[in-house]
Amino acid sequence: MSGVLFGVGLSAVISVSVCGIAWVLSKRSEMDREKNSPFECGFDPKKSARIPFSMRFFLLAVVFLIFDVEIALLLPLPFLMSSVYGVLGYYAGGSFLIVLIIGLVHEWREGSLDWIG
């Protein structure tokens, strides 16, 4: 019984001391305003929230999402080609890649992939 009480008391002391140390260390970071400000991609949190956002940032994000979904769709293609579909899988995968490459070339020529300029 005394061993259980000792264990409970020791865990309470350790818990309170860790919380106290964390509280003391957190007081030091309250002075840094930049670390406590929220970070929003493409926006400065210190300025007005009603300023227009960068269209280049938006287009780059959309292109990233498109090609991210493309990876998810291309991942199972080797399994499809080796199983039931055979030659049809090669044609489907090849046509999908051709459409994606044409889209990439279009975005490249349009200048949407140029971050600076």
PDB file of all heavy atoms in Angstrom, residues 67-84:
ATOM      1  N   PHE A  67      -1.449  18.004 -60.221  1.00  0.00           N
ATOM      2  CA  PHE A  67      -0.409  17.005 -60.384  1.00  0.00           C
ATOM      3  C   PHE A  67      -0.281  16.099 -59.165  1.00  0.00           C
ATOM      4  O   PHE A  67       0.239  14.994 -59.265  1.00  0.00           O
ATOM      5  CB  PHE A  67       0.914  17.668 -60.743  1.00  0.00           C
ATOM      6  CG  PHE A  67       0.929  18.141 -62.165  1.00  0.00           C
ATOM      7  CD1 PHE A  67       0.767  19.474 -62.475  1.00  0.00           C
ATOM      8  CD2 PHE A  67       1.063  17.242 -63.204  1.00  0.00           C
ATOM      9  CE1 PHE A  67       0.753  19.904 -63.785  1.00  0.00           C
ATOM     10  CE2 PHE A  67       1.050  17.650 -64.511  1.00  0.00           C
ATOM     11  CZ  PHE A  67       0.892  18.990 -64.807  1.00  0.00           C
ATOM     12  N   ASP A  68      -0.789  16.535 -58.030  1.00  0.00           N
ATOM     13  CA  ASP A  68      -0.828  15.662 -56.864  1.00  0.00           C
ATOM     14  C   ASP A  68      -1.881  14.567 -57.064  1.00  0.00           C
ATOM     15  O   ASP A  68      -1.646  13.400 -56.757  1.00  0.00           O
ATOM     16  CB  ASP A  68      -1.139  16.494 -55.622  1.00  0.00           C
ATOM     17  CG  ASP A  68      -0.877  15.732 -54.352  1.00  0.00           C
ATOM     18  OD1 ASP A  68       0.082  14.940 -54.340  1.00  0.00           O
ATOM     19  OD2 ASP A  68      -1.612  15.932 -53.377  1.00  0.00           O
ATOM     20  N   VAL A  69      -3.026  14.931 -57.593  1.00  0.00           N
ATOM     21  CA  VAL A  69      -4.064  13.946 -57.902  1.00  0.00           C
ATOM     22  C   VAL A  69      -3.572  13.014 -59.004  1.00  0.00           C
ATOM     23  O   VAL A  69      -3.864  11.813 -58.995  1.00  0.00           O
ATOM     24  CB  VAL A  69      -5.375  14.664 -58.298  1.00  0.00           C
ATOM     25  CG1 VAL A  69      -6.392  13.694 -58.855  1.00  0.00           C
ATOM     26  CG2 VAL A  69      -5.948  15.385 -57.100  1.00  0.00           C
ATOM     27  N   GLU A  70      -2.813  13.559 -59.932  1.00  0.00           N
ATOM     28  CA  GLU A  70      -2.259  12.738 -61.020  1.00  0.00           C
ATOM     29  C   GLU A  70      -1.376  11.619 -60.476  1.00  0.00           C
ATOM     30  O   GLU A  70      -1.460  10.479 -60.943  1.00  0.00           O
ATOM     31  CB  GLU A  70      -1.455  13.646 -61.959  1.00  0.00           C
ATOM     32  CG  GLU A  70      -0.564  12.924 -62.900  1.00  0.00           C
ATOM     33  CD  GLU A  70       0.882  13.371 -62.774  1.00  0.00           C
ATOM     34  OE1 GLU A  70       1.160  14.463 -62.311  1.00  0.00           O
ATOM     35  OE2 GLU A  70       1.742  12.565 -63.176  1.00  0.00           O
ATOM     36  N   ILE A  71      -0.577  11.907 -59.483  1.00  0.00           N
ATOM     37  CA  ILE A  71       0.276  10.874 -58.885  1.00  0.00           C
ATOM     38  C   ILE A  71      -0.592   9.781 -58.264  1.00  0.00           C
ATOM     39  O   ILE A  71      -0.302   8.592 -58.389  1.00  0.00           O
ATOM     40  CB  ILE A  71       1.222  11.493 -57.834  1.00  0.00           C
ATOM     41  CG1 ILE A  71       2.235  12.405 -58.507  1.00  0.00           C
ATOM     42  CG2 ILE A  71       1.940  10.422 -57.042  1.00  0.00           C
ATOM     43  CD1 ILE A  71       3.157  11.713 -59.460  1.00  0.00           C
ATOM     44  N   ALA A  72      -1.658  10.191 -57.599  1.00  0.00           N
ATOM     45  CA  ALA A  72      -2.542   9.199 -56.980  1.00  0.00           C
ATOM     46  C   ALA A  72      -3.226   8.325 -58.026  1.00  0.00           C
ATOM     47  O   ALA A  72      -3.518   7.163 -57.769  1.00  0.00           O
ATOM     48  CB  ALA A  72      -3.586   9.903 -56.115  1.00  0.00           C
ATOM     49  N   LEU A  73      -3.486   8.874 -59.204  1.00  0.00           N
ATOM     50  CA  LEU A  73      -4.111   8.081 -60.255  1.00  0.00           C
ATOM     51  C   LEU A  73      -3.109   7.223 -61.017  1.00  0.00           C
ATOM     52  O   LEU A  73      -3.468   6.184 -61.571  1.00  0.00           O
ATOM     53  CB  LEU A  73      -4.855   8.998 -61.231  1.00  0.00           C
ATOM     54  CG  LEU A  73      -6.080   9.697 -60.660  1.00  0.00           C
ATOM     55  CD1 LEU A  73      -6.642  10.677 -61.667  1.00  0.00           C
ATOM     56  CD2 LEU A  73      -7.130   8.700 -60.245  1.00  0.00           C
ATOM     57  N   LEU A  74      -1.856   7.641 -61.075  1.00  0.00           N
ATOM     58  CA  LEU A  74      -0.842   6.872 -61.793  1.00  0.00           C
ATOM     59  C   LEU A  74      -0.254   5.734 -60.968  1.00  0.00           C
ATOM     60  O   LEU A  74       0.300   4.790 -61.520  1.00  0.00           O
ATOM     61  CB  LEU A  74       0.300   7.791 -62.248  1.00  0.00           C
ATOM     62  CG  LEU A  74       0.032   8.644 -63.468  1.00  0.00           C
ATOM     63  CD1 LEU A  74       1.218   9.538 -63.740  1.00  0.00           C
ATOM     64  CD2 LEU A  74      -0.259   7.787 -64.672  1.00  0.00           C
ATOM     65  N   LEU A  75      -0.378   5.828 -59.656  1.00  0.00           N
ATOM     66  CA  LEU A  75       0.235   4.820 -58.794  1.00  0.00           C
ATOM     67  C   LEU A  75      -0.275   3.403 -59.045  1.00  0.00           C
ATOM     68  O   LEU A  75       0.524   2.473 -59.121  1.00  0.00           O
ATOM     69  CB  LEU A  75       0.031   5.223 -57.336  1.00  0.00           C
ATOM     70  CG  LEU A  75       1.131   4.893 -56.368  1.00  0.00           C
ATOM     71  CD1 LEU A  75       2.450   5.425 -56.840  1.00  0.00           C
ATOM     72  CD2 LEU A  75       0.822   5.447 -55.008  1.00  0.00           C
ATOM     73  N   PRO A  76      -1.569   3.178 -59.234  1.00  0.00           N
ATOM     74  CA  PRO A  76      -2.026   1.792 -59.452  1.00  0.00           C
ATOM     75  C   PRO A  76      -1.862   1.293 -60.889  1.00  0.00           C
ATOM     76  O   PRO A  76      -2.190   0.145 -61.170  1.00  0.00           O
ATOM     77  CB  PRO A  76      -3.500   1.836 -59.064  1.00  0.00           C
ATOM     78  CG  PRO A  76      -3.913   3.234 -59.230  1.00  0.00           C
ATOM     79  CD  PRO A  76      -2.699   4.063 -58.962  1.00  0.00           C
ATOM     80  N   LEU A  77      -1.368   2.108 -61.810  1.00  0.00           N
ATOM     81  CA  LEU A  77      -1.260   1.679 -63.206  1.00  0.00           C
ATOM     82  C   LEU A  77      -0.389   0.443 -63.420  1.00  0.00           C
ATOM     83  O   LEU A  77      -0.761  -0.420 -64.207  1.00  0.00           O
ATOM     84  CB  LEU A  77      -0.765   2.829 -64.074  1.00  0.00           C
ATOM     85  CG  LEU A  77      -1.852   3.714 -64.650  1.00  0.00           C
ATOM     86  CD1 LEU A  77      -1.238   4.803 -65.497  1.00  0.00           C
ATOM     87  CD2 LEU A  77      -2.859   2.942 -65.429  1.00  0.00           C
ATOM     88  N   PRO A  78       0.756   0.296 -62.785  1.00  0.00           N
ATOM     89  CA  PRO A  78       1.526  -0.945 -63.005  1.00  0.00           C
ATOM     90  C   PRO A  78       0.778  -2.206 -62.596  1.00  0.00           C
ATOM     91  O   PRO A  78       0.904  -3.243 -63.240  1.00  0.00           O
ATOM     92  CB  PRO A  78       2.775  -0.761 -62.140  1.00  0.00           C
ATOM     93  CG  PRO A  78       2.912   0.697 -61.978  1.00  0.00           C
ATOM     94  CD  PRO A  78       1.526   1.256 -62.001  1.00  0.00           C
ATOM     95  N   PHE A  79      -0.046  -2.114 -61.557  1.00  0.00           N
ATOM     96  CA  PHE A  79      -0.822  -3.274 -61.137  1.00  0.00           C
ATOM     97  C   PHE A  79      -1.930  -3.584 -62.139  1.00  0.00           C
ATOM     98  O   PHE A  79      -2.246  -4.739 -62.388  1.00  0.00           O
ATOM     99  CB  PHE A  79      -1.422  -3.049 -59.747  1.00  0.00           C
ATOM    100  CG  PHE A  79      -0.379  -2.846 -58.696  1.00  0.00           C
ATOM    101  CD1 PHE A  79      -0.223  -1.615 -58.084  1.00  0.00           C
ATOM    102  CD2 PHE A  79       0.458  -3.875 -58.320  1.00  0.00           C
ATOM    103  CE1 PHE A  79       0.741  -1.417 -57.120  1.00  0.00           C
ATOM    104  CE2 PHE A  79       1.417  -3.696 -57.357  1.00  0.00           C
ATOM    105  CZ  PHE A  79       1.568  -2.462 -56.761  1.00  0.00           C
ATOM    106  N   LEU A  80      -2.519  -2.531 -62.718  1.00  0.00           N
ATOM    107  CA  LEU A  80      -3.564  -2.743 -63.720  1.00  0.00           C
ATOM    108  C   LEU A  80      -2.994  -3.346 -64.993  1.00  0.00           C
ATOM    109  O   LEU A  80      -3.629  -4.168 -65.642  1.00  0.00           O
ATOM    110  CB  LEU A  80      -4.267  -1.422 -64.045  1.00  0.00           C
ATOM    111  CG  LEU A  80      -5.168  -0.855 -62.968  1.00  0.00           C
ATOM    112  CD1 LEU A  80      -5.705   0.504 -63.403  1.00  0.00           C
ATOM    113  CD2 LEU A  80      -6.304  -1.796 -62.671  1.00  0.00           C
ATOM    114  N   MET A  81      -1.797  -2.912 -65.363  1.00  0.00           N
ATOM    115  CA  MET A  81      -1.191  -3.402 -66.599  1.00  0.00           C
ATOM    116  C   MET A  81      -0.799  -4.870 -66.499  1.00  0.00           C
ATOM    117  O   MET A  81      -0.842  -5.598 -67.485  1.00  0.00           O
ATOM    118  CB  MET A  81       0.027  -2.556 -66.959  1.00  0.00           C
ATOM    119  CG  MET A  81      -0.310  -1.176 -67.434  1.00  0.00           C
ATOM    120  SD  MET A  81       1.179  -0.319 -67.828  1.00  0.00           S
ATOM    121  CE  MET A  81       0.645   1.352 -67.686  1.00  0.00           C
ATOM    122  N   SER A  82      -0.411  -5.286 -65.320  1.00  0.00           N
ATOM    123  CA  SER A  82       0.034  -6.671 -65.182  1.00  0.00           C
ATOM    124  C   SER A  82      -1.120  -7.637 -64.915  1.00  0.00           C
ATOM    125  O   SER A  82      -0.922  -8.834 -64.939  1.00  0.00           O
ATOM    126  CB  SER A  82       1.050  -6.762 -64.048  1.00  0.00           C
ATOM    127  OG  SER A  82       0.418  -6.457 -62.819  1.00  0.00           O
ATOM    128  N   SER A  83      -2.298  -7.116 -64.659  1.00  0.00           N
ATOM    129  CA  SER A  83      -3.406  -8.014 -64.324  1.00  0.00           C
ATOM    130  C   SER A  83      -4.370  -8.148 -65.496  1.00  0.00           C
ATOM    131  O   SER A  83      -3.967  -8.367 -66.625  1.00  0.00           O
ATOM    132  CB  SER A  83      -4.119  -7.490 -63.081  1.00  0.00           C
ATOM    133  OG  SER A  83      -4.749  -6.263 -63.370  1.00  0.00           O
ATOM    134  N   VAL A  84      -5.593  -7.947 -65.270  1.00  0.00           N
ATOM    135  CA  VAL A  84      -6.673  -8.257 -66.206  1.00  0.00           C
ATOM    136  C   VAL A  84      -6.610  -7.425 -67.487  1.00  0.00           C
ATOM    137  O   VAL A  84      -6.853  -7.932 -68.573  1.00  0.00           O
ATOM    138  CB  VAL A  84      -8.036  -8.036 -65.506  1.00  0.00           C
ATOM    139  CG1 VAL A  84      -9.173  -8.320 -66.444  1.00  0.00           C
ATOM    140  CG2 VAL A  84      -8.118  -8.868 -64.250  1.00  0.00           C
TER     141      VAL A  84
END
